[in-house]
Amino acid sequence: MSDRLVIQSVTKFFGSAQNPVRAVDDLSLNVRENEFFTLLGPSGCGKTTLLRLIAGLESCDTGKILLDGVDIAGLPANKRPVNTVFQSYALFPHMTVADNIGFGMSMQGKDAKDIEKATADALALMRMENFGARYPSELSGGQQQRVALARALVNRPKILLLDESLSALDYKLRKDMQIELKRLQRETEITFIFVTHDQEEALSMSDRIAVMERGRIGQLGTPQEIYHRPVSRYVADFIGICNFVAAPSLGLSESGHIGFRPEDATLLIREGQQPDVAGPIVHGKLDALSYHGAVTYYQVTLDSGETVTVADHEKLPVGVDARVRVALLPDMLIRCAS
Amino acid sequence: MRLSSGTKLLLPFLAVMTVFFMAPLCIALGYSFMAPDPMGGVKPAFSLSGYQQFLYSADLDGNLQWDTRYLEIIFGSTKLAVMATLACLLIGFPMAWFMATRPAHQRDAWMILITIPFWTNLLIRTYAWILILRSNGLVNRGLLETGIIDAPLELLYNPYAVGMGLVYSYLPFMILPIYSSLERMDWRLVEAAQDLYATRLRILWHVVLPASVPGIVGGTILVFIPTIGSFLAANLLGGGRNMMLGNLIENQFGMARNWPFGAAISVLLIAFVMIGLMLIARRGQGLKGVVG
C-alpha cells in the first residue's frame, strides 16, 4: 500500500514568543491508503493539534504535509481535499440535516441534482433516510454524530479526520458507533485518521496506532505491536495495565525493569502447583481482588515490596492476605526503555 | 378578594407598568379623541379633529380639503429612518464583528469606548455636530486650509446632516445587540464551514449572518423606533427645514397648541410601530427552529 499522507518534521508552536510551547515537535509519520489510523494520547499531547494541522485549521511553523505526494502545508482549509468530523459535531443549527450534508458540495459549486442524490445516498449510508428535513436540534446525540459523519463523507475526501468523535456518546452508543465507523471505512475505502484518548477504542478499531507523547510520537505500529512490544514505559503504561518490576525481583540476571501484562501471568494459589508454561515465579501476598465478570484482577504485593496486578478468567478460591505465587509467561515479558 | 401568591408577586411589576407605561399611553389615546384648547391642553369633549387634520385641512370657510402635507412628512420620516437604520446596520455590523473577534480582554475596552458617548447628553452631542459641520466648522476649515476646496461646503441644514446625526446617535444601539449575537456564536461552526470548502465571503453569508439574525433584528428595532420619532437631529442639524414626525408631534404640543392632533399622531406612530413589531414577531415564530 502506498502512502496517502506523509508528515515530515512538522513543528507547531503555541504561546508567546518568549515562552513558546511545542504542541507538535518535529513530528514525522506516514498514513497509508485506505487505512484506519489512530492518533492516541492523553489530553495535551498534541494529537488534536496535529489533526488540525492536517485539516488546515492551524498552520505549521516548520515541516511539510504531503498528500499523495503534494505539499498541502500552505493551503487553507477550504482548499484541502480532507474533511473533519468535529468533537462537538459543529452542525449548522439553522440548516436542515440535508442542507448540512449538502453544504460541502454546494460550496464546491456542484450541480444541485448531484448534491441531492449524494445527500440521499449519504443519509441511506447512515440509515437516516427520513431525517433529511429535520434540524440538528431535533436529533439525539448519536444521530447528530451520524449527520456530522455524513456531512464529511459525502465529499469523498482523500482523508477523513475524526476528532475525539465518539467521546461525547454514552458507553453503549459508543460501542455501536465503533462498529459503524469500521463498517463505513470498509465500505467507503476512505483513509480515516482518528484521534482519541481511549486506548481500548484505539486497539479495537485501528490498523495502526501512533501513540503521542508531548508533541512527539512515542511509538507507531499495529495494535498488537503497541500492546505486546511497547518501546517505552510511557507507551506500555498508556495502553492497558502493565506491571513493571525490577529484573532481580523476578530472579533474572539482568538489570533494569521487566514489564508484563496482567493476563500474561498466572496466580498460583496451592503449594506445589505448577504453571502450564515454565517461567519466572515470584512469591507474594494477595492484597485485593476485584471481580469484573469476564475477568478478575488480583493485586499482589511481591516479597520484594513491589505491587503487581494479575488477571484470571476465573474467580479463584482465595482470600485477601493469602500467600500466593505469580507465574509469568516467559515469551510475554516486556523489555523496554524506561 | 383572595389573590394567589403568584398574582401577589406580580403586583409590584403591574403597578410600575401601569404608572409608567400604561397610564401615559391611555392619556395620549384619550387626548387624541378630544378637541384642542387654544390656550394649550384639551377641552373635555369628544372630537375626531385630531385624526381628521391628518388627512384634511380646513379652508377659511370651514370646508375640508384633502391635504397630503402630513402624509409627506410621515413618508419622509419613514424614509429617513429606514436609511439611517440601514446605514447603522452597514456600519454597525463590521464594527460588531471587529469587536467580537478581538481577544477577550480587549473586548471590554471596546465596549466602554462604544458606550462613552452616552455619558453626555444627546442634545449636547448633537449640538457638537453643528460646530463640526458649520461653514467655519472643523471640517470646512480643515478642507479650506489644506486647499482642497475654495469656498465652505454647505454641510448643515439638509437631510444628509439629519441622517448623519441620526446614525451617529443610534449606532451603538445597532452595534451592541449584533456584538452580543456574534460573541455568543459558536466559532467552531466557522471552522466547520472552512473545512467544507467555504470561502470567507460564503462563511459570512451562510454561517455568520444567520447566527447574528437575532442581533440584527434587535438592533434594527432599537434604531428604527427612536429614529422615526426623533426630533432633535432634525431640529438642530436640519435647521427645522426637514420636518420629521417627531418635530411635528413636538410642535403640536408646543407652538401650535394642538394637543389632540399631537396625541393623534403619537397614537398613529405607536400603532404603526406595533404592527411592524408584530410582523417581525410572527416571522420570528417561523424562524424559531432556525435561529433559536
Side-chain angles (χ1 to χ4, degrees):
Chain A
M1 267 190 291
S2 57
D3 286 334
R4 167 119 299 174
L5 180 79
V6 178
I7 289 176
Q8 283 176 357
S9 340
V10 162
T11 298
K12 174 70 185 174
F13 292 101
F14 280 125
S16 60
Q18 294 82 31
N19 184 24
V21 181
R22 284 168 190 258
V24 175
D25 187 2
D26 193 25
L27 183 144
S28 299
L29 60 78
N30 65 315
V31 181
R32 296 171 190 149
E33 246 172 53
N34 195 12
E35 187 173 41
F36 199 114
F37 189 92
T38 298
L39 294 169
L40 175 67
S43 57
C45 73
K47 57 189 191 301
T48 292
T49 305
L50 182 58
L51 198 79
R52 291 170 60 83
L53 285 169
I54 300 170
L57 297 170
E58 305 281 355
S59 57
C60 48
D61 293 313
T62 62
K64 283 183 177 171
I65 299 174
L66 303 171
L67 182 66
D68 287 341
V70 182
D71 189 3
I72 57 164
L75 290 181
N78 57 14
K79 297 239 163 63
R80 298 190 187 192
V82 299
N83 289 113
T84 309
V85 179
F86 291 88
Q87 182 173 13
S88 59
Y89 314 144
L91 298 176
F92 304 121
H94 55 282
M95 294 182 200
T96 61
V97 165
D99 288 343
N100 262 284
I101 295 175
F103 187 82
M105 288 182 77
S106 133
M107 289 300 112
Q108 287 176 299
K110 294 274 166 64
D111 194 62
K113 274 212 183 86
D114 295 344
I115 297 176
E116 204 176 314
K117 169 143 197 337
T119 302
D121 289 349
L123 282 169
L125 187 69
M126 296 299 151
R127 301 180 183 130
M128 291 185 69
E129 289 89 341
N130 302 322
F131 289 84
R134 301 247 193 125
Y135 283 96
S137 56
E138 299 165 334
L139 302 181
S140 70
Q143 289 166 341
Q144 291 184 19
Q145 164 81 74
R146 299 221 292 280
V147 173
L149 259 168
R151 185 176 70 172
L153 278 174
V154 76
N155 304 297
R156 311 283 319 163
K158 291 195 168 168
I159 303 175
L160 183 75
L161 306 169
L162 301 111
D163 183 12
E164 305 248 5
S165 301
L166 306 184
S167 59
L169 304 177
D170 59 45
Y171 183 79
K172 177 88 174 57
L173 206 53
R174 198 160 72 225
K175 292 287 159 201
D176 292 345
M177 278 309 292
Q178 289 175 5
I179 295 166
E180 183 91 352
L181 271 183
K182 282 298 279 181
R183 174 181 76 88
L184 286 171
Q185 202 257 329
R186 251 192 338 269
E187 289 179 11
T188 58
E189 299 187 334
I190 288 173
T191 304
F192 279 33
I193 299 181
F194 184 75
V195 159
T196 185
H197 62 262
D198 183 334
Q199 41 100 6
E200 216 179 295
E201 205 166 82
L203 289 176
S204 67
M205 300 174 74
S206 321
D207 295 319
R208 288 192 305 151
I209 299 173
V211 183
M212 288 189 63
E213 178 183 8
R214 278 176 286 134
R216 291 166 172 271
I217 293 196
Q219 186 173 0
L220 198 163
T222 64
Q224 293 76 16
E225 283 167 358
I226 301 256
Y227 190 76
H228 291 297
R229 291 198 297 284
V231 297
S232 69
R233 202 160 162 170
Y234 171 84
V235 173
D237 275 334
F238 194 74
I239 309 278
I241 306 169
C242 195
N243 300 298
F244 277 95
V245 291
S249 312
L250 297 175
L252 298 170
S253 56
E254 51 188 291
S255 62
H257 283 76
I258 302 287
F260 64 93
R261 300 286 182 190
E263 65 276 15
D264 294 334
T266 317
L267 198 67
L268 305 175
I269 56 170
R270 285 188 304 275
E271 288 287 326
Q273 188 185 355
Q274 288 299 314
D276 300 337
V277 183
I281 295 179
V282 279
H283 294 264
K285 179 173 74 80
L286 184 64
D287 271 341
L289 50 88
S290 63
Y291 177 67
H292 287 250
V295 70
T296 304
Y297 289 103
Y298 302 89
Q299 195 183 316
V300 178
T301 301
L302 304 181
D303 290 349
S304 59
E306 292 155 304
T307 304
V308 297
T309 303
V310 177
D312 203 304
H313 297 302
E314 283 177 59
K315 175 90 167 59
L316 300 169
V318 64
V320 170
D321 284 342
R323 290 291 299 171
V324 293
R325 288 174 300 151
V326 177
L328 309 182
L329 288 173
D331 296 344
M332 292 299 186
L333 298 184
I334 296 165
R335 292 177 171 86
C336 61
S338 55
Chain B
M1 187 174 68
R2 289 174 63 93
L3 294 170
S4 73
S5 60
T7 314
K8 278 182 198 159
L9 283 173
L10 267 178
L11 284 177
F13 170 75
L14 289 175
V16 170
M17 286 298 283
T18 307
V19 172
F20 290 105
F21 293 92
M22 292 313 291
L25 283 180
C26 288
I27 291 171
L29 188 66
Y31 277 14
S32 74
F33 287 106
M34 292 182 186
D37 186 324
M39 302 304 288
V42 288
K43 284 182 188 158
F46 178 79
S47 162
L48 282 175
S49 73
Y51 293 94
Q52 205 176 47
Q53 284 170 57
F54 212 74
L55 297 174
Y56 301 95
S57 59
D59 61 18
L60 289 172
D61 301 329
N63 298 322
L64 291 177
Q65 275 180 327
W66 177 251
D67 185 354
T68 59
R69 276 180 307 167
Y70 296 125
L71 283 179
E72 277 161 25
I73 290 176
I74 287 195
F75 181 73
S77 292
T78 311
K79 198 170 99 178
L80 199 57
V82 167
M83 301 295 272
T85 308
L86 268 178
C88 280
L89 183 59
L90 287 177
I91 302 169
F93 190 90
M95 285 182 74
W97 171 264
F98 174 83
M99 283 168 65
T101 49
R102 292 313 96 190
H105 63 276
Q106 283 181 23
R107 287 183 213 158
D108 292 340
W110 284 106
M111 271 290 258
I112 291 170
L113 283 177
I114 294 287
T115 47
I116 275 181
F118 293 126
W119 300 356
T120 309
N121 185 289
L122 178 63
L123 179 68
I124 294 165
R125 281 185 286 138
T126 309
Y127 204 83
W129 275 104
I130 295 180
L131 303 183
I132 297 173
L133 294 179
R134 66 183 178 188
S135 331
N136 61 346
L138 271 178
V139 174
N140 272 320
R141 277 224 305 269
L143 290 174
L144 281 171
E145 274 166 33
T146 49
I148 295 173
I149 52 170
D150 299 327
L153 297 172
E154 276 294 330
L155 298 174
L156 265 180
Y157 310 127
N158 57 48
Y160 301 105
V162 179
M164 201 226 56
L166 290 175
V167 171
Y168 163 77
S169 308
Y170 294 103
L171 187 57
F173 294 103
M174 183 64 85
I175 295 176
L176 295 177
I178 297 179
Y179 166 72
S180 105
S181 276
L182 287 176
E183 203 200 14
R184 272 182 288 134
M185 189 179 72
D186 185 354
W187 289 90
R188 289 171 297 192
L189 296 180
V190 172
E191 292 195 334
Q194 246 177 312
D195 186 64
L196 292 164
Y197 315 107
T199 56
R200 283 159 181 268
L201 214 59
R202 283 179 157 176
I203 293 172
L204 182 68
W205 181 252
H206 290 288
V207 178
V208 177
L209 267 181
S212 50
V213 162
I216 291 174
V217 170
T220 302
I221 292 171
L222 284 180
V223 171
F224 182 76
I225 293 175
T227 47
I228 200 171
S230 77
F231 57 91
L232 206 57
N235 258 355
L236 294 183
L237 304 176
R241 276 194 280 173
N242 302 276
M243 197 177 249
M244 291 188 69
L245 260 181
N247 303 85
L248 188 59
I249 297 170
E250 189 217 0
N251 275 346
Q252 302 314 314
F253 285 97
M255 288 184 297
R257 294 189 194 284
N258 192 345
W259 286 26
F261 186 35
I265 306 169
S266 301
V267 168
L268 286 174
L269 179 61
I270 291 168
F272 177 62
V273 168
M274 271 178 68
I275 290 168
L277 283 182
M278 274 155 68
L279 287 177
I280 292 174
R282 178 179 287 181
R283 201 167 146 65
Q285 285 288 323
L287 284 170
K288 215 166 191 178
V290 185
V291 181

